[in-house]
Amino acid sequence: MKKLINNPRAVVDESVEGFGMAHADLVDVHPDPKFVVRKGAPVKGKVALVSGGGSGHEPLHAGFVGLGMLDAAVPGAVFTSPTPDQIIPATTAVDSGAGVVHIVKNYTGDVLNFETAAEMAQAEGVAVRSVLVNDDVAVEDSLYTAGRRGVGGTVLVEKIAGAAAERGDDLDAVAAIAERVVANVRTMGVALSGCTVPHAGTPSFELADDEIEIGIGIHGEPGRHKIAMEPADAITDRLLEPVLEDLSIASGDKVLLFVNGMGGTPLSELYIVYRRAAQVLAERGATVERSLVGNYVTSLEMQGCSVSVLRLDDELTTLWDAPVHTAALRWGV
Amino acid sequence: MKKLINNPRAVVDESVEGFGMAHADLVDVHPDPKFVVRKGAPVKGKVALVSGGGSGHEPLHAGFVGLGMLDAAVPGAVFTSPTPDQIIPATTAVDSGAGVVHIVKNYTGDVLNFETAAEMAQAEGVAVRSVLVNDDVAVEDSLYTAGRRGVGGTVLVEKIAGAAAERGDDLDAVAAIAERVVANVRTMGVALSGCTVPHAGTPSFELADDEIEIGIGIHGEPGRHKIAMEPADAITDRLLEPVLEDLSIASGDKVLLFVNGMGGTPLSELYIVYRRAAQVLAERGATVERSLVGNYVTSLEMQGCSVSVLRLDDELTTLWDAPVHTAALRWGV
């Protein structure tokens, strides 16, 4: 294992500390219990958004803390859910009195810990709504999940719900917008390589030189099946087809197309995948109204990508376009 | 070799095509000879900036075409200089009559081909100034270079000179600003792994399981020396020390600190490097006024990073902060 780290046990501490130093204009880092809050939070009168999950998926979630997106992010250990001890103070710290939406990726540990935290925060007088993200069409249940996993689509939920909160929507309205994104986004991924959790020291799984894993999760957990390596266009078709099927994408639909890198794949390759996915959507008569290409929901240094499609309506498009100022996503400001 | 590609010979064509599809609001792609121009170029009365070089360093350069940065980018084959046949039409296409600045990374092929193109464009009546970027302190000469190589600092040159052009500076003034950035930026990199040029099919070099290469170039060409793997803080010190030495950074200096990923390294590790570099600068009494952390000048899927320091003055800071709207760098708009 070769990584730019010091102590495998200190990876999250040191990385989050560096993040806080690099983006001191945007965030404050609370070291213990660990969470990252938007500078100036709570924002008066605004519904707050809190997300979190295991580390190793950077820039998710801390990279999305700031104007127009998250008010707090709660990083767990690598590929490990954050604890209620972290989620509760993050939730109370950003509540302005308008309430807090928890955006939770559907993994058993995350769901349990956010549930516990929501109950405790509510006992302290904070109104909490929880929104479960479960956009991964690859598998119905997995090693870490009952039901579908939450993967790349999480970024789109956080951006669009964050914009709704920023424009002044109330708690129920922000939660409803987040649910609408969840209902309209689907994702599937592929791995060309495994990845190594620092404190484990060995790859979480291995792939042969000519082998890839279709339907991979973001923790290296198994997908649908391993197949022999194929050209990028064929792989893209394998990812996109179930996504379009599940969303019943038809002629005339307007979509956001998101090609997400898993961390170790060059940007140039993501654009080759984007090219094919956009061609297929065009053939279907769907219009790609917005796009996002890059490393946003990663699995450490894993090589591979995921393809997400979000069906847009006018309001979702307006909210997507609204100003955002975070470390990893910024426009309009 | 496992890559998300179709035909190894079509990687640049398909990737640039996908880039153009994803960012059709920002750029136009000219397929043959291949170059990428800012939508709406030439911009009336504005000095134009053109850069280019071998592909495989994405988002450099096409990812920096747009308002406040480049007017055109000219991608060569992977790790191969673009030809005058591409550079000349890119130059004439974006010239508004105010002239064109060529930003050239110091590699023998790039220098020769941009020189030839500049002469030809000038023969066609375009005023051209060339600025050579040579920020890499690692080696004095290399396999591909006489003098120092141009690496990560190129992004900072393109951003700041682009802002000068956008505010209306004339040709000499834009070239002078670019030269001032070059004079004040230094970089050094490290590789933890090699990378594989698609049409070669095998890694350009190999590192043992416990070995890293200090002073690596962005093409996998040799650096200063191979050493045994060390903790991130020790590696960061090895990169930063020669940079600070060469720039004579002293107490009271204001700097931009740029930690750049080589393509295959997780963002979380870049922040661990950032943390140490910021600590060292603080110990020296220098103030980190601006920061940039991410994959901006890559070497395909290489694992590793580079550390750049730019000494700022008020004007450079103002130009850095000016609005920019490109695929890979965006703020204020």
Side-chain angles (χ1 to χ4, degrees), chain A residues 2 4-6 17 22-23 192 208 211 232-233 269 271 275 291 332-333, chain B residues 2 4-6 17 22-23 192 208 211 232-233 269 271 275 291 332-333:
Chain A
K2 275 192 288 189
L4 289 167
I5 64 174
N6 294 299
E17 187 185 345
H23 305 291
L192 277 60
E211 197 180 43
D233 286 1
E269 296 180 23
Y271 281 114
R275 170 183 170 272
S291 66
V333 61
Chain B
K2 276 191 288 189
L4 289 167
I5 63 176
N6 294 299
E17 188 186 345
H23 305 292
L192 276 61
E211 198 181 43
D233 286 1
E269 297 180 22
Y271 282 113
R275 170 182 170 274
S291 66
V333 63

PDB file of all heavy atoms in Angstrom, chain A residues 2 4-6 17 22-23 192 208 211 232-233 269 271 275 291 332-333, chain B residues 2 4-6 17 22-23 192 208 211 232-233 269 271 275 291 332-333:
ATOM      1  N   LYS A   2       0.785   2.053  -1.072  1.00  0.00           N
ATOM      2  CA  LYS A   2       1.481   3.343  -1.093  1.00  0.00           C
ATOM      3  C   LYS A   2       0.441   4.439  -1.121  1.00  0.00           C
ATOM      4  O   LYS A   2      -0.340   4.538  -2.071  1.00  0.00           O
ATOM      5  CB  LYS A   2       2.364   3.443  -2.339  1.00  0.00           C
ATOM      6  CG  LYS A   2       3.737   2.820  -2.158  1.00  0.00           C
ATOM      7  CD  LYS A   2       4.680   3.184  -3.277  1.00  0.00           C
ATOM      8  CE  LYS A   2       4.293   2.469  -4.567  1.00  0.00           C
ATOM      9  NZ  LYS A   2       5.317   2.637  -5.615  1.00  0.00           N
ATOM     10  N   LEU A   4      -0.320   8.741   0.180  1.00  0.00           N
ATOM     11  CA  LEU A   4       0.207   9.990   0.742  1.00  0.00           C
ATOM     12  C   LEU A   4      -0.455  10.234   2.097  1.00  0.00           C
ATOM     13  O   LEU A   4      -1.320  11.102   2.241  1.00  0.00           O
ATOM     14  CB  LEU A   4      -0.048  11.153  -0.222  1.00  0.00           C
ATOM     15  CG  LEU A   4       0.796  11.138  -1.495  1.00  0.00           C
ATOM     16  CD1 LEU A   4       0.258  12.137  -2.510  1.00  0.00           C
ATOM     17  CD2 LEU A   4       2.253  11.445  -1.165  1.00  0.00           C
ATOM     18  N   ILE A   5      -0.055   9.421   3.063  1.00  0.00           N
ATOM     19  CA  ILE A   5      -0.620   9.530   4.400  1.00  0.00           C
ATOM     20  C   ILE A   5       0.521   9.433   5.411  1.00  0.00           C
ATOM     21  O   ILE A   5       1.643   9.073   5.050  1.00  0.00           O
ATOM     22  CB  ILE A   5      -1.658   8.419   4.682  1.00  0.00           C
ATOM     23  CG1 ILE A   5      -0.999   7.030   4.653  1.00  0.00           C
ATOM     24  CG2 ILE A   5      -2.789   8.486   3.661  1.00  0.00           C
ATOM     25  CD1 ILE A   5      -1.938   5.895   5.056  1.00  0.00           C
ATOM     26  N   ASN A   6       0.214   9.773   6.648  1.00  0.00           N
ATOM     27  CA  ASN A   6       1.187   9.588   7.717  1.00  0.00           C
ATOM     28  C   ASN A   6       0.844   8.316   8.479  1.00  0.00           C
ATOM     29  O   ASN A   6       1.343   7.260   8.158  1.00  0.00           O
ATOM     30  CB  ASN A   6       1.214  10.828   8.626  1.00  0.00           C
ATOM     31  CG  ASN A   6       1.745  12.040   7.875  1.00  0.00           C
ATOM     32  OD1 ASN A   6       2.877  12.033   7.411  1.00  0.00           O
ATOM     33  ND2 ASN A   6       0.919  13.072   7.719  1.00  0.00           N
ATOM     34  N   GLU A  17      -8.550  18.157   8.663  1.00  0.00           N
ATOM     35  CA  GLU A  17      -7.838  19.340   9.159  1.00  0.00           C
ATOM     36  C   GLU A  17      -7.278  20.153   7.976  1.00  0.00           C
ATOM     37  O   GLU A  17      -7.421  21.378   7.921  1.00  0.00           O
ATOM     38  CB  GLU A  17      -6.701  18.910  10.096  1.00  0.00           C
ATOM     39  CG  GLU A  17      -6.037  20.106  10.784  1.00  0.00           C
ATOM     40  CD  GLU A  17      -4.818  19.697  11.638  1.00  0.00           C
ATOM     41  OE1 GLU A  17      -4.659  18.493  11.914  1.00  0.00           O
ATOM     42  OE2 GLU A  17      -4.039  20.599  11.978  1.00  0.00           O
ATOM     43  N   ALA A  22      -7.499  24.717   4.033  1.00  0.00           N
ATOM     44  CA  ALA A  22      -7.572  25.167   2.632  1.00  0.00           C
ATOM     45  C   ALA A  22      -8.841  25.974   2.358  1.00  0.00           C
ATOM     46  O   ALA A  22      -8.864  26.801   1.445  1.00  0.00           O
ATOM     47  CB  ALA A  22      -7.503  23.965   1.687  1.00  0.00           C
ATOM     48  N   HIS A  23      -9.878  25.738   3.133  1.00  0.00           N
ATOM     49  CA  HIS A  23     -11.178  26.364   2.850  1.00  0.00           C
ATOM     50  C   HIS A  23     -11.716  27.096   4.083  1.00  0.00           C
ATOM     51  O   HIS A  23     -12.909  27.033   4.380  1.00  0.00           O
ATOM     52  CB  HIS A  23     -12.166  25.301   2.355  1.00  0.00           C
ATOM     53  CG  HIS A  23     -11.654  24.541   1.175  1.00  0.00           C
ATOM     54  ND1 HIS A  23     -11.491  25.115  -0.068  1.00  0.00           N
ATOM     55  CD2 HIS A  23     -11.205  23.266   1.055  1.00  0.00           C
ATOM     56  CE1 HIS A  23     -10.976  24.225  -0.901  1.00  0.00           C
ATOM     57  NE2 HIS A  23     -10.797  23.094  -0.251  1.00  0.00           N
ATOM     58  N   LEU A 192     -12.758  -0.825 -12.343  1.00  0.00           N
ATOM     59  CA  LEU A 192     -11.666  -1.468 -13.084  1.00  0.00           C
ATOM     60  C   LEU A 192     -10.589  -1.967 -12.120  1.00  0.00           C
ATOM     61  O   LEU A 192      -9.740  -2.771 -12.483  1.00  0.00           O
ATOM     62  CB  LEU A 192     -11.047  -0.484 -14.085  1.00  0.00           C
ATOM     63  CG  LEU A 192     -11.761  -0.333 -15.433  1.00  0.00           C
ATOM     64  CD1 LEU A 192     -13.183   0.157 -15.270  1.00  0.00           C
ATOM     65  CD2 LEU A 192     -10.979   0.583 -16.362  1.00  0.00           C
ATOM     66  N   ALA A 208      -8.883  -9.311 -11.828  1.00  0.00           N
ATOM     67  CA  ALA A 208      -7.811  -9.779 -12.698  1.00  0.00           C
ATOM     68  C   ALA A 208      -7.501  -8.719 -13.761  1.00  0.00           C
ATOM     69  O   ALA A 208      -8.239  -7.760 -13.933  1.00  0.00           O
ATOM     70  CB  ALA A 208      -8.216 -11.098 -13.363  1.00  0.00           C
ATOM     71  N   GLU A 211     -10.358  -8.057 -16.142  1.00  0.00           N
ATOM     72  CA  GLU A 211     -11.657  -8.219 -15.505  1.00  0.00           C
ATOM     73  C   GLU A 211     -12.148  -6.890 -14.936  1.00  0.00           C
ATOM     74  O   GLU A 211     -11.359  -6.100 -14.420  1.00  0.00           O
ATOM     75  CB  GLU A 211     -11.468  -9.224 -14.360  1.00  0.00           C
ATOM     76  CG  GLU A 211     -12.696  -9.857 -13.812  1.00  0.00           C
ATOM     77  CD  GLU A 211     -12.336 -10.820 -12.682  1.00  0.00           C
ATOM     78  OE1 GLU A 211     -11.472 -10.457 -11.843  1.00  0.00           O
ATOM     79  OE2 GLU A 211     -12.904 -11.917 -12.630  1.00  0.00           O
ATOM     80  N   ALA A 232     -15.027   1.033 -23.878  1.00  0.00           N
ATOM     81  CA  ALA A 232     -15.751   1.988 -23.044  1.00  0.00           C
ATOM     82  C   ALA A 232     -17.213   2.128 -23.470  1.00  0.00           C
ATOM     83  O   ALA A 232     -18.104   2.255 -22.621  1.00  0.00           O
ATOM     84  CB  ALA A 232     -15.062   3.354 -23.098  1.00  0.00           C
ATOM     85  N   ASP A 233     -17.470   2.119 -24.765  1.00  0.00           N
ATOM     86  CA  ASP A 233     -18.850   2.294 -25.224  1.00  0.00           C
ATOM     87  C   ASP A 233     -19.742   1.142 -24.762  1.00  0.00           C
ATOM     88  O   ASP A 233     -20.892   1.361 -24.348  1.00  0.00           O
ATOM     89  CB  ASP A 233     -18.904   2.402 -26.759  1.00  0.00           C
ATOM     90  CG  ASP A 233     -18.406   3.752 -27.262  1.00  0.00           C
ATOM     91  OD1 ASP A 233     -18.011   4.597 -26.423  1.00  0.00           O
ATOM     92  OD2 ASP A 233     -18.399   3.960 -28.497  1.00  0.00           O
ATOM     93  N   GLU A 269     -10.933   9.847 -19.663  1.00  0.00           N
ATOM     94  CA  GLU A 269     -11.748   8.642 -19.848  1.00  0.00           C
ATOM     95  C   GLU A 269     -13.205   8.902 -19.483  1.00  0.00           C
ATOM     96  O   GLU A 269     -14.123   8.358 -20.113  1.00  0.00           O
ATOM     97  CB  GLU A 269     -11.172   7.480 -19.028  1.00  0.00           C
ATOM     98  CG  GLU A 269      -9.776   7.084 -19.494  1.00  0.00           C
ATOM     99  CD  GLU A 269      -9.156   5.925 -18.709  1.00  0.00           C
ATOM    100  OE1 GLU A 269      -9.897   5.136 -18.112  1.00  0.00           O
ATOM    101  OE2 GLU A 269      -7.917   5.832 -18.692  1.00  0.00           O
ATOM    102  N   TYR A 271     -14.782  11.559 -20.021  1.00  0.00           N
ATOM    103  CA  TYR A 271     -15.408  12.226 -21.174  1.00  0.00           C
ATOM    104  C   TYR A 271     -15.710  11.247 -22.308  1.00  0.00           C
ATOM    105  O   TYR A 271     -16.630  11.469 -23.104  1.00  0.00           O
ATOM    106  CB  TYR A 271     -14.540  13.392 -21.668  1.00  0.00           C
ATOM    107  CG  TYR A 271     -14.707  14.630 -20.805  1.00  0.00           C
ATOM    108  CD1 TYR A 271     -13.664  15.119 -20.034  1.00  0.00           C
ATOM    109  CD2 TYR A 271     -15.926  15.309 -20.753  1.00  0.00           C
ATOM    110  CE1 TYR A 271     -13.821  16.252 -19.237  1.00  0.00           C
ATOM    111  CE2 TYR A 271     -16.096  16.435 -19.964  1.00  0.00           C
ATOM    112  CZ  TYR A 271     -15.042  16.904 -19.208  1.00  0.00           C
ATOM    113  OH  TYR A 271     -15.215  18.016 -18.422  1.00  0.00           O
ATOM    114  N   ARG A 275     -19.426  10.864 -23.699  1.00  0.00           N
ATOM    115  CA  ARG A 275     -19.730  10.933 -25.133  1.00  0.00           C
ATOM    116  C   ARG A 275     -20.728   9.849 -25.528  1.00  0.00           C
ATOM    117  O   ARG A 275     -21.754  10.121 -26.165  1.00  0.00           O
ATOM    118  CB  ARG A 275     -18.419  10.772 -25.909  1.00  0.00           C
ATOM    119  CG  ARG A 275     -18.542  10.582 -27.409  1.00  0.00           C
ATOM    120  CD  ARG A 275     -17.146  10.374 -27.984  1.00  0.00           C
ATOM    121  NE  ARG A 275     -17.188   9.958 -29.382  1.00  0.00           N
ATOM    122  CZ  ARG A 275     -17.279   8.690 -29.770  1.00  0.00           C
ATOM    123  NH1 ARG A 275     -17.358   7.716 -28.874  1.00  0.00           N
ATOM    124  NH2 ARG A 275     -17.314   8.397 -31.057  1.00  0.00           N
ATOM    125  N   SER A 291     -25.091  18.944 -17.469  1.00  0.00           N
ATOM    126  CA  SER A 291     -24.140  17.842 -17.336  1.00  0.00           C
ATOM    127  C   SER A 291     -23.182  18.104 -16.186  1.00  0.00           C
ATOM    128  O   SER A 291     -22.971  19.254 -15.780  1.00  0.00           O
ATOM    129  CB  SER A 291     -23.351  17.664 -18.629  1.00  0.00           C
ATOM    130  OG  SER A 291     -22.537  18.795 -18.848  1.00  0.00           O
ATOM    131  N   GLY A 332     -21.885  30.917 -10.005  1.00  0.00           N
ATOM    132  CA  GLY A 332     -22.821  32.005  -9.745  1.00  0.00           C
ATOM    133  C   GLY A 332     -22.397  32.905  -8.604  1.00  0.00           C
ATOM    134  O   GLY A 332     -23.103  33.840  -8.256  1.00  0.00           O
ATOM    135  N   VAL A 333     -21.252  32.646  -8.027  1.00  0.00           N
ATOM    136  CA  VAL A 333     -20.783  33.432  -6.889  1.00  0.00           C
ATOM    137  C   VAL A 333     -19.265  33.280  -6.813  1.00  0.00           C
ATOM    138  O   VAL A 333     -18.711  32.271  -7.269  1.00  0.00           O
ATOM    139  CB  VAL A 333     -21.472  32.968  -5.582  1.00  0.00           C
ATOM    140  CG1 VAL A 333     -21.160  31.525  -5.301  1.00  0.00           C
ATOM    141  CG2 VAL A 333     -21.091  33.857  -4.426  1.00  0.00           C
TER     142      VAL A 333
ATOM    143  N   LYS B   2      -6.006  -1.626 -18.260  1.00  0.00           N
ATOM    144  CA  LYS B   2      -7.462  -1.474 -18.240  1.00  0.00           C
ATOM    145  C   LYS B   2      -7.790   0.006 -18.218  1.00  0.00           C
ATOM    146  O   LYS B   2      -7.431   0.708 -17.274  1.00  0.00           O
ATOM    147  CB  LYS B   2      -8.056  -2.160 -16.997  1.00  0.00           C
ATOM    148  CG  LYS B   2      -8.287  -3.638 -17.183  1.00  0.00           C
ATOM    149  CD  LYS B   2      -9.119  -4.214 -16.049  1.00  0.00           C
ATOM    150  CE  LYS B   2      -8.299  -4.274 -14.776  1.00  0.00           C
ATOM    151  NZ  LYS B   2      -9.013  -5.036 -13.707  1.00  0.00           N
ATOM    152  N   LEU B   4     -10.957   3.009 -19.547  1.00  0.00           N
ATOM    153  CA  LEU B   4     -12.284   3.268 -20.116  1.00  0.00           C
ATOM    154  C   LEU B   4     -12.109   3.949 -21.470  1.00  0.00           C
ATOM    155  O   LEU B   4     -12.362   5.146 -21.627  1.00  0.00           O
ATOM    156  CB  LEU B   4     -13.108   4.132 -19.160  1.00  0.00           C
ATOM    157  CG  LEU B   4     -13.567   3.429 -17.878  1.00  0.00           C
ATOM    158  CD1 LEU B   4     -14.101   4.435 -16.874  1.00  0.00           C
ATOM    159  CD2 LEU B   4     -14.627   2.383 -18.198  1.00  0.00           C
ATOM    160  N   ILE B   5     -11.649   3.159 -22.440  1.00  0.00           N
ATOM    161  CA  ILE B   5     -11.432   3.687 -23.788  1.00  0.00           C
ATOM    162  C   ILE B   5     -11.980   2.680 -24.789  1.00  0.00           C
ATOM    163  O   ILE B   5     -12.303   1.542 -24.435  1.00  0.00           O
ATOM    164  CB  ILE B   5      -9.929   3.926 -24.068  1.00  0.00           C
ATOM    165  CG1 ILE B   5      -9.141   2.601 -24.026  1.00  0.00           C
ATOM    166  CG2 ILE B   5      -9.354   4.911 -23.051  1.00  0.00           C
ATOM    167  CD1 ILE B   5      -7.672   2.751 -24.391  1.00  0.00           C
ATOM    168  N   ASN B   6     -12.096   3.121 -26.036  1.00  0.00           N
ATOM    169  CA  ASN B   6     -12.478   2.205 -27.099  1.00  0.00           C
ATOM    170  C   ASN B   6     -11.222   1.787 -27.849  1.00  0.00           C
ATOM    171  O   ASN B   6     -10.626   0.776 -27.553  1.00  0.00           O
ATOM    172  CB  ASN B   6     -13.519   2.869 -28.000  1.00  0.00           C
ATOM    173  CG  ASN B   6     -14.829   3.104 -27.255  1.00  0.00           C
ATOM    174  OD1 ASN B   6     -15.458   2.156 -26.805  1.00  0.00           O
ATOM    175  ND2 ASN B   6     -15.214   4.353 -27.080  1.00  0.00           N
ATOM    176  N   GLU B  17     -14.173  15.070 -28.078  1.00  0.00           N
ATOM    177  CA  GLU B  17     -15.555  15.134 -28.566  1.00  0.00           C
ATOM    178  C   GLU B  17     -16.534  15.118 -27.389  1.00  0.00           C
ATOM    179  O   GLU B  17     -17.476  15.918 -27.331  1.00  0.00           O
ATOM    180  CB  GLU B  17     -15.832  13.960 -29.516  1.00  0.00           C
ATOM    181  CG  GLU B  17     -17.184  14.061 -30.209  1.00  0.00           C
ATOM    182  CD  GLU B  17     -17.511  12.819 -31.042  1.00  0.00           C
ATOM    183  OE1 GLU B  17     -16.601  12.007 -31.328  1.00  0.00           O
ATOM    184  OE2 GLU B  17     -18.702  12.660 -31.402  1.00  0.00           O
ATOM    185  N   ALA B  22     -20.218  17.851 -23.488  1.00  0.00           N
ATOM    186  CA  ALA B  22     -20.561  18.170 -22.092  1.00  0.00           C
ATOM    187  C   ALA B  22     -20.523  19.667 -21.822  1.00  0.00           C
ATOM    188  O   ALA B  22     -21.201  20.148 -20.920  1.00  0.00           O
ATOM    189  CB  ALA B  22     -19.610  17.440 -21.141  1.00  0.00           C
ATOM    190  N   HIS B  23     -19.736  20.390 -22.598  1.00  0.00           N
ATOM    191  CA  HIS B  23     -19.536  21.819 -22.323  1.00  0.00           C
ATOM    192  C   HIS B  23     -19.838  22.673 -23.552  1.00  0.00           C
ATOM    193  O   HIS B  23     -19.131  23.637 -23.850  1.00  0.00           O
ATOM    194  CB  HIS B  23     -18.110  22.059 -21.821  1.00  0.00           C
ATOM    195  CG  HIS B  23     -17.767  21.218 -20.637  1.00  0.00           C
ATOM    196  ND1 HIS B  23     -18.355  21.410 -19.401  1.00  0.00           N
ATOM    197  CD2 HIS B  23     -16.953  20.141 -20.495  1.00  0.00           C
ATOM    198  CE1 HIS B  23     -17.892  20.500 -18.550  1.00  0.00           C
ATOM    199  NE2 HIS B  23     -17.052  19.710 -19.194  1.00  0.00           N
ATOM    200  N   LEU B 192       3.897   8.077  -7.018  1.00  0.00           N
ATOM    201  CA  LEU B 192       3.823   6.823  -6.268  1.00  0.00           C
ATOM    202  C   LEU B 192       3.631   5.649  -7.223  1.00  0.00           C
ATOM    203  O   LEU B 192       3.830   4.499  -6.864  1.00  0.00           O
ATOM    204  CB  LEU B 192       2.652   6.863  -5.276  1.00  0.00           C
ATOM    205  CG  LEU B 192       2.917   7.529  -3.919  1.00  0.00           C
ATOM    206  CD1 LEU B 192       3.302   8.995  -4.084  1.00  0.00           C
ATOM    207  CD2 LEU B 192       1.706   7.405  -3.016  1.00  0.00           C
ATOM    208  N   ALA B 208       8.792   0.135  -7.481  1.00  0.00           N
ATOM    209  CA  ALA B 208       8.585  -1.014  -6.600  1.00  0.00           C
ATOM    210  C   ALA B 208       7.524  -0.671  -5.550  1.00  0.00           C
ATOM    211  O   ALA B 208       7.141   0.484  -5.389  1.00  0.00           O
ATOM    212  CB  ALA B 208       9.903  -1.395  -5.937  1.00  0.00           C
ATOM    213  N   GLU B 211       8.546   2.076  -3.182  1.00  0.00           N
ATOM    214  CA  GLU B 211       9.413   3.061  -3.812  1.00  0.00           C
ATOM    215  C   GLU B 211       8.592   4.218  -4.380  1.00  0.00           C
ATOM    216  O   GLU B 211       7.504   4.000  -4.918  1.00  0.00           O
ATOM    217  CB  GLU B 211      10.149   2.346  -4.953  1.00  0.00           C
ATOM    218  CG  GLU B 211      11.376   3.001  -5.480  1.00  0.00           C
ATOM    219  CD  GLU B 211      11.969   2.164  -6.624  1.00  0.00           C
ATOM    220  OE1 GLU B 211      11.191   1.672  -7.481  1.00  0.00           O
ATOM    221  OE2 GLU B 211      13.188   2.014  -6.658  1.00  0.00           O
ATOM    222  N   ALA B 232       3.587  11.044   4.504  1.00  0.00           N
ATOM    223  CA  ALA B 232       3.201  12.181   3.661  1.00  0.00           C
ATOM    224  C   ALA B 232       3.893  13.471   4.083  1.00  0.00           C
ATOM    225  O   ALA B 232       4.302  14.273   3.235  1.00  0.00           O
ATOM    226  CB  ALA B 232       1.685  12.360   3.707  1.00  0.00           C
ATOM    227  N   ASP B 233       4.038  13.680   5.385  1.00  0.00           N
ATOM    228  CA  ASP B 233       4.660  14.929   5.842  1.00  0.00           C
ATOM    229  C   ASP B 233       6.117  15.018   5.375  1.00  0.00           C
ATOM    230  O   ASP B 233       6.576  16.090   4.963  1.00  0.00           O
ATOM    231  CB  ASP B 233       4.600  15.036   7.370  1.00  0.00           C
ATOM    232  CG  ASP B 233       3.194  15.375   7.871  1.00  0.00           C
ATOM    233  OD1 ASP B 233       2.278  15.513   7.027  1.00  0.00           O
ATOM    234  OD2 ASP B 233       3.022  15.485   9.095  1.00  0.00           O
ATOM    235  N   GLU B 269      -5.998  12.521   0.264  1.00  0.00           N
ATOM    236  CA  GLU B 269      -4.545  12.532   0.459  1.00  0.00           C
ATOM    237  C   GLU B 269      -3.951  13.894   0.089  1.00  0.00           C
ATOM    238  O   GLU B 269      -2.981  14.347   0.709  1.00  0.00           O
ATOM    239  CB  GLU B 269      -3.893  11.405  -0.354  1.00  0.00           C
ATOM    240  CG  GLU B 269      -4.358  10.028   0.113  1.00  0.00           C
ATOM    241  CD  GLU B 269      -3.737   8.874  -0.669  1.00  0.00           C
ATOM    242  OE1 GLU B 269      -2.661   9.047  -1.276  1.00  0.00           O
ATOM    243  OE2 GLU B 269      -4.341   7.785  -0.680  1.00  0.00           O
ATOM    244  N   TYR B 271      -5.284  16.684   0.618  1.00  0.00           N
ATOM    245  CA  TYR B 271      -5.492  17.577   1.766  1.00  0.00           C
ATOM    246  C   TYR B 271      -4.514  17.287   2.897  1.00  0.00           C
ATOM    247  O   TYR B 271      -4.177  18.175   3.684  1.00  0.00           O
ATOM    248  CB  TYR B 271      -6.944  17.515   2.247  1.00  0.00           C
ATOM    249  CG  TYR B 271      -7.887  18.325   1.377  1.00  0.00           C
ATOM    250  CD1 TYR B 271      -8.862  17.730   0.604  1.00  0.00           C
ATOM    251  CD2 TYR B 271      -7.773  19.716   1.332  1.00  0.00           C
ATOM    252  CE1 TYR B 271      -9.718  18.478  -0.195  1.00  0.00           C
ATOM    253  CE2 TYR B 271      -8.619  20.473   0.538  1.00  0.00           C
ATOM    254  CZ  TYR B 271      -9.594  19.854  -0.218  1.00  0.00           C
ATOM    255  OH  TYR B 271     -10.423  20.612  -1.007  1.00  0.00           O
ATOM    256  N   ARG B 275      -2.142  20.163   4.275  1.00  0.00           N
ATOM    257  CA  ARG B 275      -2.025  20.456   5.704  1.00  0.00           C
ATOM    258  C   ARG B 275      -0.570  20.679   6.101  1.00  0.00           C
ATOM    259  O   ARG B 275      -0.224  21.673   6.733  1.00  0.00           O
ATOM    260  CB  ARG B 275      -2.627  19.274   6.492  1.00  0.00           C
ATOM    261  CG  ARG B 275      -2.389  19.272   7.984  1.00  0.00           C
ATOM    262  CD  ARG B 275      -3.012  18.009   8.583  1.00  0.00           C
ATOM    263  NE  ARG B 275      -2.640  17.813   9.969  1.00  0.00           N
ATOM    264  CZ  ARG B 275      -1.535  17.186  10.356  1.00  0.00           C
ATOM    265  NH1 ARG B 275      -0.697  16.694   9.467  1.00  0.00           N
ATOM    266  NH2 ARG B 275      -1.286  17.049  11.648  1.00  0.00           N
ATOM    267  N   SER B 291      -5.691  29.342  -1.997  1.00  0.00           N
ATOM    268  CA  SER B 291      -5.306  27.933  -2.122  1.00  0.00           C
ATOM    269  C   SER B 291      -6.046  27.278  -3.275  1.00  0.00           C
ATOM    270  O   SER B 291      -7.112  27.736  -3.696  1.00  0.00           O
ATOM    271  CB  SER B 291      -5.613  27.186  -0.822  1.00  0.00           C
ATOM    272  OG  SER B 291      -7.007  27.143  -0.617  1.00  0.00           O
ATOM    273  N   GLY B 332     -17.400  33.305  -9.490  1.00  0.00           N
ATOM    274  CA  GLY B 332     -17.793  34.690  -9.759  1.00  0.00           C
ATOM    275  C   GLY B 332     -18.775  34.833 -10.903  1.00  0.00           C
ATOM    276  O   GLY B 332     -19.180  35.937 -11.254  1.00  0.00           O
ATOM    277  N   VAL B 333     -19.181  33.735 -11.481  1.00  0.00           N
ATOM    278  CA  VAL B 333     -20.083  33.754 -12.633  1.00  0.00           C
ATOM    279  C   VAL B 333     -20.800  32.418 -12.712  1.00  0.00           C
ATOM    280  O   VAL B 333     -20.294  31.414 -12.210  1.00  0.00           O
ATOM    281  CB  VAL B 333     -19.311  34.078 -13.928  1.00  0.00           C
ATOM    282  CG1 VAL B 333     -18.292  33.014 -14.220  1.00  0.00           C
ATOM    283  CG2 VAL B 333     -20.250  34.276 -15.094  1.00  0.00           C
TER     284      VAL B 333
END
